[in-house]
Short mmCIF file of all heavy atoms in Angstrom, two decimals:
data_model
loop_
_atom_site.label_atom_id
_atom_site.label_comp_id
_atom_site.label_asym_id
_atom_site.label_seq_id
_atom_site.Cartn_x
_atom_site.Cartn_y
_atom_site.Cartn_z
N GLU A 21 21.49 1.44 0.20
CA GLU A 21 22.28 0.62 -0.72
C GLU A 21 22.05 -0.87 -0.49
O GLU A 21 22.47 -1.69 -1.30
CB GLU A 21 23.77 0.95 -0.56
CG GLU A 21 24.10 2.41 -0.86
CD GLU A 21 25.57 2.71 -0.67
OE1 GLU A 21 26.36 1.74 -0.59
OE2 GLU A 21 25.94 3.89 -0.59
N ASP A 22 21.39 -1.20 0.63
CA ASP A 22 21.20 -2.61 0.98
C ASP A 22 19.74 -3.05 0.84
O ASP A 22 19.28 -3.95 1.53
CB ASP A 22 21.68 -2.86 2.41
CG ASP A 22 20.96 -1.97 3.42
OD1 ASP A 22 20.25 -1.04 2.99
OD2 ASP A 22 21.11 -2.24 4.64
N ALA A 23 18.99 -2.39 -0.04
CA ALA A 23 17.58 -2.75 -0.26
C ALA A 23 17.25 -2.62 -1.74
O ALA A 23 17.84 -1.81 -2.45
CB ALA A 23 16.66 -1.87 0.57
N ASP A 24 16.31 -3.43 -2.19
CA ASP A 24 15.88 -3.39 -3.59
C ASP A 24 14.60 -2.58 -3.77
O ASP A 24 14.24 -2.22 -4.89
CB ASP A 24 15.65 -4.80 -4.12
CG ASP A 24 16.93 -5.62 -4.17
OD1 ASP A 24 17.99 -5.04 -4.47
OD2 ASP A 24 16.87 -6.84 -3.90
N GLN A 25 13.92 -2.29 -2.67
CA GLN A 25 12.69 -1.53 -2.76
C GLN A 25 12.39 -0.86 -1.43
O GLN A 25 12.91 -1.23 -0.38
CB GLN A 25 11.51 -2.43 -3.16
CG GLN A 25 11.20 -3.51 -2.13
CD GLN A 25 10.05 -4.41 -2.55
OE1 GLN A 25 9.79 -4.59 -3.74
NE2 GLN A 25 9.34 -4.96 -1.58
N LEU A 26 11.53 0.16 -1.50
CA LEU A 26 11.06 0.85 -0.31
C LEU A 26 9.53 0.83 -0.32
O LEU A 26 8.91 1.07 -1.36
CB LEU A 26 11.55 2.30 -0.27
CG LEU A 26 13.05 2.53 -0.07
CD1 LEU A 26 13.36 4.02 -0.13
CD2 LEU A 26 13.53 1.93 1.24
N VAL A 27 8.94 0.53 0.83
CA VAL A 27 7.48 0.45 0.94
C VAL A 27 6.97 1.68 1.70
O VAL A 27 7.47 2.00 2.78
CB VAL A 27 7.05 -0.83 1.68
CG1 VAL A 27 5.53 -0.85 1.82
CG2 VAL A 27 7.52 -2.07 0.92
N PHE A 28 6.01 2.37 1.09
CA PHE A 28 5.40 3.56 1.70
C PHE A 28 3.92 3.26 1.94
O PHE A 28 3.14 3.20 0.98
CB PHE A 28 5.54 4.77 0.78
CG PHE A 28 6.96 5.13 0.44
CD1 PHE A 28 7.60 4.53 -0.64
CD2 PHE A 28 7.65 6.07 1.19
CE1 PHE A 28 8.91 4.86 -0.96
CE2 PHE A 28 8.96 6.41 0.87
CZ PHE A 28 9.59 5.80 -0.20
N LYS A 29 3.54 3.09 3.19
CA LYS A 29 2.13 2.84 3.49
C LYS A 29 1.37 4.16 3.46
O LYS A 29 1.80 5.15 4.05
CB LYS A 29 2.00 2.15 4.84
CG LYS A 29 2.63 0.76 4.86
CD LYS A 29 2.42 0.06 6.19
CE LYS A 29 3.03 -1.34 6.15
NZ LYS A 29 2.80 -2.09 7.42
N ALA A 30 0.22 4.15 2.75
CA ALA A 30 -0.53 5.39 2.54
C ALA A 30 -1.97 5.26 3.02
O ALA A 30 -2.55 4.16 2.99
CB ALA A 30 -0.50 5.77 1.06
N ILE A 31 -2.53 6.38 3.45
CA ILE A 31 -3.93 6.43 3.89
C ILE A 31 -4.62 7.55 3.12
O ILE A 31 -4.19 8.70 3.16
CB ILE A 31 -4.03 6.67 5.41
CG1 ILE A 31 -3.32 5.55 6.17
CG2 ILE A 31 -5.50 6.77 5.83
CD1 ILE A 31 -3.30 5.76 7.68
N GLN A 32 -5.68 7.20 2.43
CA GLN A 32 -6.43 8.13 1.58
C GLN A 32 -7.78 8.43 2.23
O GLN A 32 -8.53 7.52 2.57
CB GLN A 32 -6.62 7.52 0.18
CG GLN A 32 -7.34 8.40 -0.81
CD GLN A 32 -7.44 7.72 -2.18
OE1 GLN A 32 -7.18 6.53 -2.32
NE2 GLN A 32 -7.85 8.47 -3.19
N THR A 33 -8.09 9.73 2.40
CA THR A 33 -9.35 10.13 3.02
C THR A 33 -10.20 10.90 2.03
O THR A 33 -9.70 11.77 1.32
CB THR A 33 -9.09 11.00 4.27
OG1 THR A 33 -8.28 10.27 5.19
CG2 THR A 33 -10.41 11.36 4.95
N TYR A 34 -11.51 10.57 2.01
CA TYR A 34 -12.45 11.22 1.09
C TYR A 34 -13.30 12.26 1.82
O TYR A 34 -13.35 12.29 3.06
CB TYR A 34 -13.36 10.17 0.44
CG TYR A 34 -12.67 9.33 -0.60
CD1 TYR A 34 -12.05 8.13 -0.25
CD2 TYR A 34 -12.64 9.72 -1.94
CE1 TYR A 34 -11.41 7.36 -1.20
CE2 TYR A 34 -12.02 8.94 -2.90
CZ TYR A 34 -11.40 7.76 -2.53
OH TYR A 34 -10.76 7.00 -3.47
N SER A 35 -13.95 13.10 1.03
CA SER A 35 -14.77 14.17 1.60
C SER A 35 -15.98 13.64 2.36
O SER A 35 -16.55 14.35 3.19
CB SER A 35 -15.25 15.10 0.47
OG SER A 35 -15.94 14.37 -0.54
N ASN A 36 -16.38 12.40 2.10
CA ASN A 36 -17.50 11.80 2.84
C ASN A 36 -17.01 11.05 4.08
O ASN A 36 -17.73 10.22 4.64
CB ASN A 36 -18.29 10.86 1.93
CG ASN A 36 -17.44 9.71 1.38
OD1 ASN A 36 -16.25 9.60 1.71
ND2 ASN A 36 -18.04 8.87 0.57
N LYS A 37 -15.76 11.29 4.49
CA LYS A 37 -15.15 10.72 5.69
C LYS A 37 -14.70 9.27 5.51
O LYS A 37 -14.21 8.64 6.44
CB LYS A 37 -16.09 10.80 6.91
CG LYS A 37 -16.63 12.20 7.18
CD LYS A 37 -15.50 13.20 7.38
CE LYS A 37 -16.06 14.60 7.67
NZ LYS A 37 -14.97 15.61 7.84
N GLU A 38 -14.85 8.73 4.30
CA GLU A 38 -14.38 7.36 4.05
C GLU A 38 -12.84 7.35 4.05
O GLU A 38 -12.20 8.26 3.52
CB GLU A 38 -14.89 6.86 2.70
CG GLU A 38 -14.40 5.46 2.37
CD GLU A 38 -14.81 5.01 0.98
OE1 GLU A 38 -15.46 5.81 0.27
OE2 GLU A 38 -14.48 3.87 0.60
N VAL A 39 -12.27 6.31 4.65
CA VAL A 39 -10.82 6.18 4.74
C VAL A 39 -10.40 4.86 4.09
O VAL A 39 -10.95 3.80 4.40
CB VAL A 39 -10.33 6.21 6.20
CG1 VAL A 39 -8.83 5.98 6.27
CG2 VAL A 39 -10.68 7.54 6.85
N VAL A 40 -9.44 4.94 3.17
CA VAL A 40 -8.91 3.74 2.50
C VAL A 40 -7.44 3.61 2.88
O VAL A 40 -6.65 4.55 2.68
CB VAL A 40 -9.06 3.83 0.97
CG1 VAL A 40 -8.53 2.56 0.32
CG2 VAL A 40 -10.52 4.06 0.59
N ARG A 41 -7.08 2.46 3.43
CA ARG A 41 -5.71 2.23 3.90
C ARG A 41 -4.94 1.37 2.89
O ARG A 41 -5.21 0.17 2.76
CB ARG A 41 -5.74 1.55 5.28
CG ARG A 41 -6.48 2.37 6.31
CD ARG A 41 -6.54 1.66 7.67
NE ARG A 41 -7.32 2.43 8.62
CZ ARG A 41 -6.83 3.43 9.35
NH1 ARG A 41 -5.55 3.75 9.25
NH2 ARG A 41 -7.60 4.10 10.20
N TRP A 42 -4.00 2.00 2.21
CA TRP A 42 -3.15 1.29 1.25
C TRP A 42 -1.90 0.83 1.99
O TRP A 42 -0.85 1.46 1.91
CB TRP A 42 -2.81 2.19 0.08
CG TRP A 42 -4.01 2.76 -0.60
CD1 TRP A 42 -4.53 4.02 -0.45
CD2 TRP A 42 -4.87 2.10 -1.54
NE1 TRP A 42 -5.64 4.18 -1.23
CE2 TRP A 42 -5.87 3.01 -1.92
CE3 TRP A 42 -4.87 0.82 -2.10
CZ2 TRP A 42 -6.87 2.69 -2.81
CZ3 TRP A 42 -5.87 0.50 -3.00
CH2 TRP A 42 -6.86 1.42 -3.35
N ILE A 43 -2.02 -0.26 2.74
CA ILE A 43 -0.95 -0.65 3.66
C ILE A 43 -0.51 -2.10 3.52
O ILE A 43 0.39 -2.56 4.22
CB ILE A 43 -1.37 -0.40 5.13
CG1 ILE A 43 -2.62 -1.23 5.46
CG2 ILE A 43 -1.65 1.09 5.36
CD1 ILE A 43 -3.02 -1.13 6.93
N GLU A 44 -1.13 -2.86 2.62
CA GLU A 44 -0.77 -4.26 2.45
C GLU A 44 0.48 -4.37 1.57
O GLU A 44 0.51 -3.85 0.46
CB GLU A 44 -1.92 -5.05 1.83
CG GLU A 44 -3.18 -5.06 2.70
CD GLU A 44 -4.29 -5.85 2.05
OE1 GLU A 44 -4.17 -7.08 1.97
OE2 GLU A 44 -5.29 -5.22 1.61
N VAL A 45 1.49 -5.06 2.08
CA VAL A 45 2.77 -5.17 1.36
C VAL A 45 2.69 -6.30 0.34
O VAL A 45 2.45 -7.45 0.70
CB VAL A 45 3.93 -5.44 2.34
CG1 VAL A 45 5.25 -5.51 1.58
CG2 VAL A 45 3.99 -4.34 3.40
N PRO A 46 2.86 -6.01 -0.95
CA PRO A 46 2.84 -7.06 -1.98
C PRO A 46 3.98 -8.05 -1.75
O PRO A 46 5.10 -7.67 -1.41
CB PRO A 46 3.02 -6.28 -3.29
CG PRO A 46 2.60 -4.87 -2.96
CD PRO A 46 3.00 -4.66 -1.53
N GLN A 47 3.69 -9.33 -1.97
CA GLN A 47 4.69 -10.38 -1.81
C GLN A 47 5.03 -10.99 -3.16
O GLN A 47 4.13 -11.26 -3.97
CB GLN A 47 4.18 -11.48 -0.86
CG GLN A 47 3.81 -10.97 0.53
CD GLN A 47 5.00 -10.43 1.30
OE1 GLN A 47 6.13 -10.91 1.14
NE2 GLN A 47 4.77 -9.42 2.13
N GLU A 48 6.30 -11.19 -3.41
CA GLU A 48 6.74 -11.75 -4.68
C GLU A 48 6.17 -13.14 -4.89
O GLU A 48 6.18 -13.97 -3.98
CB GLU A 48 8.27 -11.81 -4.73
CG GLU A 48 8.82 -12.24 -6.08
CD GLU A 48 10.34 -12.20 -6.13
OE1 GLU A 48 10.95 -11.77 -5.13
OE2 GLU A 48 10.90 -12.59 -7.17
N GLY A 49 5.64 -13.39 -6.08
CA GLY A 49 5.08 -14.69 -6.40
C GLY A 49 3.64 -14.85 -5.98
O GLY A 49 3.05 -15.91 -6.23
N GLN A 50 3.05 -13.83 -5.36
CA GLN A 50 1.67 -13.90 -4.93
C GLN A 50 0.84 -12.84 -5.65
O GLN A 50 1.38 -11.87 -6.19
CB GLN A 50 1.57 -13.71 -3.41
CG GLN A 50 2.28 -14.78 -2.61
CD GLN A 50 2.11 -14.58 -1.11
OE1 GLN A 50 1.26 -13.79 -0.67
NE2 GLN A 50 2.90 -15.29 -0.32
N GLU A 51 -0.48 -13.03 -5.64
CA GLU A 51 -1.37 -12.06 -6.27
C GLU A 51 -1.31 -10.73 -5.52
O GLU A 51 -1.05 -10.69 -4.32
CB GLU A 51 -2.80 -12.58 -6.29
CG GLU A 51 -3.01 -13.79 -7.19
CD GLU A 51 -4.48 -14.20 -7.26
OE1 GLU A 51 -5.30 -13.53 -6.59
OE2 GLU A 51 -4.79 -15.17 -7.96
N GLU A 52 -1.57 -9.66 -6.25
CA GLU A 52 -1.56 -8.34 -5.64
C GLU A 52 -2.66 -8.25 -4.60
O GLU A 52 -3.81 -8.65 -4.85
CB GLU A 52 -1.75 -7.27 -6.69
CG GLU A 52 -1.66 -5.85 -6.15
CD GLU A 52 -1.82 -4.80 -7.22
OE1 GLU A 52 -2.95 -4.66 -7.72
OE2 GLU A 52 -0.83 -4.15 -7.59
N PRO A 53 -2.36 -7.76 -3.39
CA PRO A 53 -3.39 -7.64 -2.35
C PRO A 53 -4.47 -6.64 -2.75
O PRO A 53 -4.29 -5.85 -3.67
CB PRO A 53 -2.61 -7.18 -1.13
CG PRO A 53 -1.37 -6.55 -1.67
CD PRO A 53 -1.04 -7.31 -2.92
N GLU A 54 -5.57 -6.66 -2.02
CA GLU A 54 -6.69 -5.79 -2.34
C GLU A 54 -6.35 -4.32 -2.14
O GLU A 54 -6.79 -3.46 -2.89
CB GLU A 54 -7.89 -6.16 -1.47
CG GLU A 54 -9.14 -5.38 -1.78
CD GLU A 54 -10.33 -5.82 -0.96
OE1 GLU A 54 -10.22 -6.86 -0.27
OE2 GLU A 54 -11.37 -5.14 -1.00
N SER A 55 -5.56 -4.02 -1.10
CA SER A 55 -5.18 -2.64 -0.82
C SER A 55 -3.65 -2.54 -0.72
O SER A 55 -3.10 -2.38 0.37
CB SER A 55 -5.82 -2.16 0.49
OG SER A 55 -7.23 -2.24 0.41
N PRO A 56 -2.96 -2.64 -1.86
CA PRO A 56 -1.49 -2.67 -1.83
C PRO A 56 -0.87 -1.34 -1.44
O PRO A 56 -1.37 -0.27 -1.81
CB PRO A 56 -1.13 -3.04 -3.27
CG PRO A 56 -2.27 -2.49 -4.07
CD PRO A 56 -3.49 -2.69 -3.23
N ALA A 57 0.22 -1.39 -0.69
CA ALA A 57 0.97 -0.20 -0.34
C ALA A 57 1.83 0.23 -1.53
O ALA A 57 2.28 -0.61 -2.31
CB ALA A 57 1.85 -0.47 0.87
N PRO A 58 2.07 1.52 -1.71
CA PRO A 58 2.97 1.98 -2.77
C PRO A 58 4.38 1.44 -2.55
O PRO A 58 4.90 1.51 -1.43
CB PRO A 58 2.94 3.50 -2.64
CG PRO A 58 1.66 3.80 -1.93
CD PRO A 58 1.45 2.66 -0.99
N VAL A 59 4.99 0.89 -3.61
CA VAL A 59 6.33 0.31 -3.52
C VAL A 59 7.24 0.97 -4.54
O VAL A 59 6.92 1.01 -5.73
CB VAL A 59 6.30 -1.21 -3.75
CG1 VAL A 59 7.72 -1.78 -3.72
CG2 VAL A 59 5.43 -1.90 -2.70
N LEU A 60 8.38 1.49 -4.08
CA LEU A 60 9.36 2.11 -4.96
C LEU A 60 10.49 1.13 -5.23
O LEU A 60 11.19 0.70 -4.30
CB LEU A 60 9.93 3.38 -4.31
CG LEU A 60 11.05 4.08 -5.08
CD1 LEU A 60 10.54 4.65 -6.40
CD2 LEU A 60 11.68 5.19 -4.23
#
């Protein structure tokens, strides 16, 4: 009840062993980061 959003950091793995880390927290008033974390 005391938050406006929840941040869920995610890690995506591909069949070729490539790993993409969606862990950058978007900041209000700034451009979206290259690998933004999912925000609810």
Side-chain angles (χ1 to χ4, degrees):
E21 300 179 15
D22 58 349
D24 295 324
Q25 63 181 27
L26 292 177
V27 178
F28 301 87
K29 295 184 178 182
I31 300 177
Q32 182 178 12
T33 302
Y34 287 90
S35 56
N36 60 2
K37 307 303 181 182
E38 179 185 1
V39 176
V40 182
R41 302 179 183 276
W42 305 101
I43 60 175
E44 298 180 69
V45 182
Q47 302 296 327
E48 186 176 357
Q50 298 182 13
E51 293 185 359
E52 184 179 71
E54 184 177 351
S55 301
V59 177
L60 176 66

